Amino acid sequence: MDFRLSSEQQEAVSHIHRFAREVLSASASERIASSHFDRNKWTQASETGLAGLPLPEEWGGSGFGALDTMLAVEALGQGCVDMGLVFSLCAHMFACAVPLWRHGSRELHERYLSGMAKGSLIAANAITEPGSGSDVFAMRSSARRDGEHYILNGEKCFVTNAPVADVFLLYAKTDAQQSYFGISAFLIPRGTHGLTVTTGERKSGLCTSPWGSVHLDDCRVPVWARVGDEGAGATIFHDSMIWERGCLFAAYVGEMERVLQQCVTHARERRQFGRPIGHNQAVSDRLVDFKLRLETSRLLLYRAGWLYDQGLPHEEAIAQSKLWVSECAVQCGLDAVQIFGGAGVCSETGIDRLLLDALPARIFSGTNEIQREFIARHMGLR
């Protein structure tokens, strides 16, 4: 069992980390303070290939497998202080571009996939509704077939990238009598008649990643805008979540690595009672636990990616990874604030960002309660 990265992987990781630190982190504190999504930073990231990591080279992507994508996203999270930008890029890639690539028609590929891979088109995934949440199949949005078109009605909320998106991957019920097989997916460009977007409230975590609601009022879309077969929407969404739960959370592993190094440096330099605070067992034990959470998160993450790339059973491993990484990121965020003391709750130091950015991670991509249910089923407990 060889845990070493290849020279190509090391080179890619080093390049992305350096670019994220030097370019994407520039002026990050100002963007975070104002909750500002910077389209120029998005463009710079996209030009480096960070909007289409797993997409085929044929369409302008990098053609990375799951593990290589995880390595790239981890390097991005380690180098880029603006985790909102990282989150927007990942939501675009894994919840929109990947399902379009894996399930969309050739016509949809030719119209949209290259633009999404290059980041010139920003995509948003719209599935959550005010009354459904984790109960996805309880969605009320409908899509009624009318000749060579569908007529869509309904409302979606908590849609990442909605205020800046050029295209929406939207899910609606095409058969109200069905549950899993009653949902279909549609790719709908912004500006389509009957589709309107409202901007969401300001967020405390991932605050530079814009979100909002999508409203459908007799929104008419052609049949060719459907992604996959009618009734295949739930399968498509499930497949996209395998990528999102697996790869997006690599960014938190990267962020934990960055914050751990900040904490270690602080523990060596900050002196109390005549010695560095790192000499106190209460502090060193906290940092050791931080390190253990980071390394176990990384091992679970890489194992899940490797299993996926090998075509081996991987869904339980991805659920375990998502659950563990998100919980560890929250606890590490708490520890970082504690180690920095009063400075840890000062927004100018940025130490509180790990905690604030990690709190939503226990909710999105399937709540951690849902992940525990899924793992329990694999254990034969359900």
Side-chain angles (χ1 to χ4, degrees):
M1 188 177 296
D2 190 349
F3 289 93
R4 292 174 297 180
L5 300 184
S6 68
S7 58
E8 292 81 5
Q9 289 171 324
Q10 291 176 5
E11 182 178 353
V13 165
S14 176
H15 171 72
I16 292 170
H17 177 249
R18 183 171 58 254
F19 170 79
R21 186 183 68 248
E22 296 176 358
V23 178
L24 298 184
S25 287
S27 304
S29 59
E30 290 86 349
R31 299 197 302 274
I32 292 169
S34 60
S35 297
H36 173 63
F37 172 81
D38 191 329
R39 185 70 183 245
N40 182 55
K41 293 298 181 185
W42 173 282
T43 300
Q44 290 177 307
S46 300
E47 289 174 346
T48 309
L50 295 174
L53 294 168
L55 302 182
E57 294 181 14
E58 172 190 3
W59 300 106
S62 300
F64 285 180
L67 180 55
D68 283 345
T69 300
M70 290 172 176
L71 294 171
V73 173
E74 180 185 346
L76 178 61
Q78 183 178 352
C80 183
V81 175
D82 183 359
M83 279 290 285
L85 175 61
V86 175
F87 182 72
S88 279
L89 284 164
C90 289
H92 162 91
M93 271 193 291
F94 305 132
C96 302
V98 165
L100 176 61
W101 155 49
R102 290 172 59 82
H103 302 279
S105 65
R106 182 77 184 185
E107 181 174 3
L108 285 173
H109 286 176
E110 292 174 348
R111 285 175 178 263
Y112 299 108
L113 196 54
S114 291
M116 290 167 70
K118 297 173 183 176
S120 57
L121 292 178
I122 298 179
N125 173 279
I127 190 167
T128 302
E129 298 185 358
S132 59
S134 295
D135 188 6
V136 172
F137 305 133
M139 70 171 59
R140 300 175 64 89
S141 294
S142 64
R144 176 175 58 84
R145 182 77 180 258
D146 181 28
E148 291 304 305
H149 291 79
Y150 285 93
I151 299 175
L152 281 72
N153 285 281
E155 179 184 0
K156 302 293 181 178
C157 61
F158 305 139
V159 181
T160 297
N161 293 340
V164 297
D166 302 295
V167 63
F168 297 86
L169 180 61
L170 188 141
Y171 296 82
K173 277 282 186 78
T174 45
D175 187 345
Q177 305 306 312
Q178 294 283 342
S179 179
Y180 189 91
F181 296 106
I183 298 172
S184 299
F186 302 88
L187 201 66
I188 308 176
R190 192 186 199 92
T192 299
H193 181 72
L195 183 149
T196 57
V197 178
T198 56
T199 301
E201 300 295 328
R202 184 169 176 172
K203 297 180 291 184
S204 56
L206 305 172
C207 57
T208 63
S209 175
W211 67 348
S213 296
V214 176
H215 308 270
L216 303 163
D217 183 11
D218 287 338
C219 179
R220 193 176 184 86
V221 300
V223 170
W224 57 257
R226 190 186 66 222
V227 180
D229 295 331
E230 185 171 298
T235 300
I236 293 169
F237 178 72
H238 175 76
D239 182 58
S240 73
M241 285 299 100
I242 294 297
W243 278 87
E244 182 171 292
R245 287 172 188 154
C247 297
L248 185 154
F249 287 83
Y252 286 103
V253 174
E255 187 176 23
M256 281 191 281
E257 178 71 61
R258 168 165 44 83
V259 175
L260 175 60
Q261 295 308 314
Q262 290 177 287
C263 289
V264 169
T265 299
H266 180 73
R268 288 171 175 168
E269 296 177 352
R270 170 70 168 166
R271 298 181 68 87
Q272 291 282 273
F273 304 105
R275 62 178 184 173
I277 63 171
H279 287 192
N280 298 318
Q281 188 173 358
V283 174
S284 62
D285 281 355
R286 195 180 293 272
L287 287 172
V288 168
D289 288 343
F290 195 136
K291 177 72 169 177
L292 287 171
R293 292 189 206 99
L294 169 62
E295 295 299 342
T296 53
S297 294
R298 183 175 282 129
L299 286 170
L300 281 172
L301 180 75
Y302 290 2
R303 174 175 173 266
W306 181 84
L307 287 170
Y308 185 95
D309 287 340
Q310 298 303 312
L312 297 172
H314 53 265
E315 292 191 28
E316 183 184 10
I318 287 174
Q320 291 171 352
S321 174
K322 187 274 182 189
L323 171 62
W324 186 249
V325 171
S326 58
E327 294 289 352
C328 286
V330 170
Q331 186 57 54
C332 288
L334 287 168
D335 286 343
V337 170
Q338 192 71 24
I339 289 167
F340 271 78
V345 293
C346 178
S347 60
E348 291 185 3
T349 66
I351 293 301
D352 61 342
R353 292 315 313 171
L354 173 57
L355 175 60
L356 294 174
D357 291 337
L359 285 172
R362 301 193 298 181
I363 300 170
F364 63 72
S365 302
T367 65
N368 283 2
E369 290 77 10
I370 292 292
Q371 304 311 310
R372 286 187 167 91
E373 287 291 314
F374 185 80
I375 295 166
R377 287 201 299 271
H378 273 263
M379 295 170 65
L381 299 173
R382 299 287 188 272

